[in-house]
Amino acid sequence: MSNYFYDMLPAEEMAQLSYIPTVSEFIEWIEKKYSDRPAISDMVVTYTYSEMCKRIARRRAFLGTLGLAKGDKVAIFERNSIDAVEMFLAVTSAGYVAINFPSALPEPAVIGSCMKFDVKVLFAREEFMPLCTKAGVKVLPSASIADNTAPAAELSKEDDAAIFFTGGTTGTPKGVVLSHGALMRGSFNGIFMPGSVLSPHRYIGLLPLSHVFGLVRGMMSVFYTGAEFFTAEDMKATIGMLPRIKPTCLVLVPGLCEILLGLVKMYGPQFLGGELKTVIGGAANVPPRMIAEFDKLGISLLEGYGMTEGANLSSGNSDIKTKPDSVGKLYPGQEGKIVDGELWIKGDNLMKEYYKDPEATKAAITEDGWLKTGDLARFDDEGYLYIVGRIKNLIILSNGENVSPEALEEPFYKNPCVKDCLVKEDDIDGKPVIAIEILPQMPAFDGKSWEDIVAFMNKLVGDVNKTLPTYQQIAKVTVRKEDFKRTGSLKVSRNQ
């Protein structure tokens, strides 16, 4: 195992933790290892690991009455609830394939997803039932549970475990099929962070379980280390309970990090509960400015790199002060190389395929097992990985030069006066140019006029341009008063 990750944990804790290849074995292991520890809570009821695992076994028994065959697809249409967590673990440990539907899925998408993924049974939250009447499959309450228990299925690491929605490497929505081995490798990778991980930690499931980051690092890695997982059926309400829950670690996208920093400025650091020491940031670029702001609060904001196609976690960085621009080093057992500027990765964390899409699968995975990530990247001399852009976002100039908008955005994210920005192709008098839209970090301009802010941003662009070759220089600047349109994970949408 790589000493970089091995040395993050106390030796006595590392000796107790190892890669577990299937969800079935994982549930049996956490039930024995963490039996009496609190496992999951919705602030009304709390179940220990023993109680949660027995409830999962009761849900497996209910599933066993439905006439399903091994490998059948079972969808879960829920919020981040105890039902959602237990049903996912029951479905996968019973030998079926779980698909978590996003809670904001509209009726046509529910119908289409059931058809596309050959769903046999759909477990839905009561409030979502009206959206499922035309799904064309058996629909049952997500709270379904039997009085008796059923054992976990005998499974191998090659068996399918779950399908996750993704934009894929080409931007077209697809279903990523993760095996048990891949899902559990990603979950094991997620345990690594500096300090003790087996001491009692408290997490909150603020990210949707339909997103691989929320499920793998935000939930599965939490259970791997015997921590307590607080559900968040209503994100706003749960954030308001931070002082009461007193989380020790949070898994967040940068957009949520920004929200928490804003709340700290309004209510003071005590709003976070006083025990938060680590934030795991991902799913979008984590600006060095944000890392510095959390550091002032005594909180380490750690980042890494991963894709849905790679079970979320391929690299991690604990050296945020010395390498704030890097997404860290590759996890144990993972390989990476740069081919024509693109990052290719390999390992047992990779997806099996895009569901029923052999052409897209062939385009993404080479015959010898390398996943073409679509990310432009580089490694430094110490093996640290840097993501510099997306191939599909490249701006192709009239002179044939390729420009990565993410690479041009990087120096702006380092400035504490910039909250977000977007580089894109635009035109001036019909001629194509590189343009930037900048969203100011308004508290940094307290007492300044809008004209002062615009002047500052134009000067900043001018200073950055001095460091760039002529063909990369930004010719058009827009300073925004309104926020950008954002994706479901709060990234800045490139389709503005």
Side-chain angles (χ1 to χ4, degrees):
M1 179 177 291
S2 166
N3 286 338
Y4 180 79
F5 293 98
Y6 189 93
D7 292 343
M8 285 186 192
L9 308 188
E12 64 274 15
E13 292 191 7
M14 195 62 248
Q16 300 178 54
L17 297 164
S18 61
Y19 168 60
I20 299 170
T22 70
V23 177
S24 297
E25 295 168 271
F26 177 68
I27 292 172
E28 181 181 358
W29 183 79
I30 61 174
E31 182 175 14
K32 290 179 180 178
K33 183 169 181 59
Y34 305 123
S35 178
D36 295 329
R37 281 195 181 193
I40 191 167
S41 176
D42 62 4
M43 301 297 287
V44 177
V45 296
T46 300
Y47 295 117
T48 65
Y49 274 83
S50 177
E51 291 168 335
M52 180 181 74
C53 292
K54 284 181 172 58
R55 286 174 56 83
I56 292 168
R58 289 170 59 195
R59 292 181 187 271
R60 282 197 301 263
F62 183 87
L63 288 163
T65 68
L66 303 178
L68 296 168
K70 181 181 178 181
D72 277 347
K73 316 301 183 295
V74 178
I76 303 164
F77 193 18
E78 253 289 353
R79 299 191 185 278
N80 281 18
S81 65
I82 291 177
D83 287 334
V85 171
E86 291 181 349
M87 191 59 76
F88 177 87
L89 294 171
V91 168
T92 50
S93 64
Y96 313 124
V97 181
I99 309 171
N100 282 338
F101 282 3
S103 61
L105 214 60
E107 183 180 42
V110 172
I111 298 168
S113 296
C114 286
M115 293 176 60
K116 179 174 182 177
F117 298 113
D118 301 314
V119 171
K120 298 293 185 183
V121 179
L122 171 59
F123 286 96
R125 186 180 179 89
E126 184 178 355
E127 68 179 284
F128 298 155
M129 283 290 188
L131 301 174
C132 305
T133 56
K134 299 178 184 178
V137 300
K138 183 179 290 186
V139 180
L140 297 167
S142 54
S144 299
I145 191 168
D147 292 329
N148 58 312
T149 62
E154 292 285 336
L155 299 168
S156 74
K157 64 182 294 184
E158 288 77 26
D159 287 325
D160 295 352
I163 297 176
F164 288 90
F165 295 94
T166 184
T169 58
T170 64
T172 304
K174 303 178 185 71
V176 168
V177 180
L178 294 182
S179 67
H180 278 262
L183 181 70
M184 293 310 305
R185 176 61 71 184
S187 303
F188 178 66
N189 288 347
I191 71 173
F192 293 103
M193 62 183 189
S196 171
V197 297
L198 292 182
S199 57
H201 279 285
R202 291 179 297 281
Y203 288 75
I204 306 174
L206 291 171
L207 300 184
L209 299 180
S210 57
H211 192 287
V212 72
F213 186 37
L215 187 131
V216 171
R217 181 57 186 92
M219 185 189 88
M220 294 294 288
S221 299
V222 172
F223 293 146
Y224 225 124
T225 56
E228 185 172 7
F229 179 86
F230 287 86
T231 59
E233 296 180 32
D234 182 325
M235 183 188 294
K236 287 185 179 179
T238 306
I239 287 177
M241 288 192 284
L242 283 171
R244 180 179 168 193
I245 296 174
K246 300 183 184 301
T248 60
C249 185
L250 291 174
V251 179
L252 304 172
V253 295
L256 279 175
C257 290
E258 199 75 72
I259 289 171
L260 289 192
L261 288 172
L263 290 169
V264 166
K265 288 174 183 175
M266 290 175 64
Y267 302 110
Q270 66 274 11
F271 181 84
L272 299 178
E275 298 184 29
L276 182 62
K277 298 300 179 186
T278 308
V279 172
I280 309 296
N285 173 60
V286 179
R289 165 189 62 80
M290 193 175 284
I291 294 173
E293 289 189 50
F294 273 101
D295 185 57
K296 292 175 185 175
L297 298 171
I299 298 168
S300 296
L301 172 53
L302 308 179
E303 61 179 320
Y305 170 80
M307 301 176 66
T308 309
E309 291 88 341
N312 179 234
L313 294 166
S314 291
S315 75
N317 182 15
S318 67
D319 298 311
I320 53 171
K321 292 186 179 181
T322 57
K323 303 276 188 176
D325 300 327
S326 173
V327 292
K329 294 191 175 186
L330 296 176
Y331 283 109
Q334 319 297 293
E335 298 178 66
K337 63 181 179 180
I338 307 298
V339 180
D340 296 327
E342 180 184 15
L343 175 65
W344 289 16
I345 57 175
K346 193 175 188 180
D348 58 2
N349 59 320
L350 296 190
M351 69 172 183
K352 295 178 73 172
E353 62 180 348
Y354 291 119
Y355 187 68
K356 294 173 70 173
D357 197 339
E359 290 187 7
T361 302
K362 185 177 180 181
I365 302 179
T366 66
E367 290 184 1
D368 54 349
W370 288 93
L371 174 69
K372 303 175 183 178
T373 67
D375 286 308
L376 298 166
R378 64 179 178 86
F379 287 97
D380 69 15
D381 294 340
E382 298 175 87
Y384 287 85
L385 176 63
Y386 298 79
I387 304 298
V388 298
R390 288 285 289 169
I391 290 176
K392 69 178 183 179
N393 295 335
L394 283 175
I395 299 171
I396 313 299
L397 301 176
S398 57
N399 63 359
E401 295 281 2
N402 295 342
V403 175
S404 165
E406 293 92 345
L408 291 185
E409 290 160 6
E410 185 178 343
F412 294 94
Y413 276 114
K414 292 180 179 179
N415 192 293
C417 296
V418 175
K419 183 175 182 179
D420 267 312
C421 63
L422 176 67
V423 169
K424 61 183 182 179
E425 186 175 357
D426 206 333
D427 69 86
I428 296 177
D429 297 328
K431 295 181 180 180
V433 298
I434 297 174
I436 188 169
E437 295 185 20
I438 303 175
L439 182 66
Q441 184 73 14
M442 292 307 294
F445 294 100
D446 190 30
K448 299 290 185 180
S449 69
W450 183 250
E451 289 74 18
D452 290 336
I453 296 172
V454 172
F456 177 92
M457 294 304 178
N458 277 287
K459 183 180 184 303
L460 176 61
V461 172
D463 291 342
V464 171
N465 276 342
K466 291 175 184 177
T467 70
L468 301 171
T470 303
Y471 73 90
Q472 288 187 3
Q473 290 182 5
I474 297 165
K476 188 174 182 178
V477 182
T478 303
V479 183
R480 297 179 66 103
K481 290 185 176 180
E482 296 182 355
D483 195 6
F484 289 99
K485 288 192 296 184
R486 297 183 180 271
T487 66
S489 58
L490 299 182
K491 297 180 189 177
V492 173
S493 171
R494 293 206 169 267
N495 298 315
Q496 297 288 328

